[in-house]
Amino acid sequence: FIYLTSHEEMAIVNAALQTSPYAFLNKPFQKIAVYTTVKLALHDHKREGAKDYDSTVFKNALFIKEKQTFYKILLSDLLYIRSDDNYLELHTTKRKYTIRETLKNIISQLPENLFFRAHKSFIINLNEIVTINYTHVIIDDVEIPITTENRLELLSRIKTFS
C-alpha cells in the first residue's frame, strides 16, 4: 500500500502503519515524489518476491471500487469478466459490478490456474465452465465466445475424456 492523504492526525497515521505500507504521502505532493515512491515500492515488492502475506484477502479475493464503495469479491464467486473498452463488467454469483479498468491489467492480477482469457473481451473462471463448444463456453447459462486458438489452449489445460 501507498497512502496519499491530506490527513495528518496521529490516529490515521498509526492506523495506516498497521497495514505495513510502502509509503505515506501527505497532500499537497509533487509529481516527482509520487513517481519516486511508486518506483521504490515496486522495486521493494519485486525484491520481496512471492512473500506470503498474513491476509488471505490477497490470495482469495479482490477489492473493487464502484462509485464510493470498495467491494470484496471472492475469486470463487467471480464467474466471468466482460470488457467494453476501458470498462469491465465483473459477473459474480450475486451481482454484476462495473469498474474502469482494462482486461489486460486485471488478467495480470488473477491466478493463471483459475482464470483464462477466452476472447479479446472475456476472462472466464475455469471452475465455472459448464460446456465448451467450438465457438463458445457456457458459464451460468451465458454463452461466452471463444476463439479457435484459445479453445485449443483451454482444452490443453484441462482434463478431457472421450
Side-chain angles (χ1 to χ4, degrees):
F1 292 107
I2 299 172
Y3 288 96
L4 302 173
T5 182
S6 60
H7 300 286
E8 295 182 1
E9 294 86 24
M10 284 307 295
I12 292 173
V13 173
N14 288 333
L17 289 174
Q18 296 299 315
T19 65
S20 301
Y22 284 107
F24 189 94
L25 297 175
N26 283 332
K27 292 180 183 177
F29 46 81
Q30 296 177 338
K31 287 182 182 180
I32 189 68
V34 175
Y35 176 81
T36 304
T37 300
V38 170
K39 282 292 197 184
L40 288 171
L42 289 171
H43 180 266
D44 287 348
H45 182 70
K46 287 179 185 174
R47 189 178 48 175
E48 289 174 5
K51 176 181 172 184
D52 278 343
Y53 293 94
D54 291 337
S55 174
T56 57
V57 171
F58 299 110
K59 294 178 186 175
N60 300 326
L62 58 103
F63 280 87
I64 59 129
K65 182 179 179 186
E66 190 177 57
K67 296 181 181 169
Q68 299 299 320
T69 306
F70 285 90
Y71 295 93
K72 179 181 176 181
I73 299 176
L74 295 175
L75 295 181
S76 59
D77 288 342
L78 186 55
L79 302 172
Y80 63 92
I81 302 170
R82 181 183 171 276
S83 171
D84 186 10
D85 285 329
N86 289 332
Y87 288 91
L88 299 179
E89 294 175 357
L90 285 76
H91 295 262
T92 69
T93 54
K94 298 175 183 134
R95 63 171 280 217
K96 176 179 82 171
Y97 300 89
T98 302
I99 61 170
R100 184 171 169 83
E101 183 62 83
T102 63
L103 216 54
K104 183 179 178 180
N105 286 341
I106 202 160
I107 191 79
S108 69
Q109 299 174 44
L110 296 171
E112 288 182 27
N113 63 327
L114 295 177
F115 293 91
F116 181 76
R117 189 161 183 176
H119 184 269
K120 67 180 182 177
S121 300
F122 286 91
I123 296 171
I124 59 173
N125 183 335
L126 296 173
N127 291 326
E128 297 299 325
I129 296 173
V130 176
T131 304
I132 303 171
N133 197 318
Y134 285 98
T135 59
H136 61 269
V137 173
I138 295 180
I139 295 177
D140 196 40
D141 294 327
V142 176
E143 288 187 4
I144 298 169
I146 188 166
T147 64
T148 303
E149 184 178 312
N150 289 349
R151 181 182 164 275
L152 294 173
E153 183 181 341
L154 176 61
L155 291 174
S156 72
R157 288 178 58 181
I158 61 173
K159 291 182 181 177
T160 58
F161 300 96
S162 296

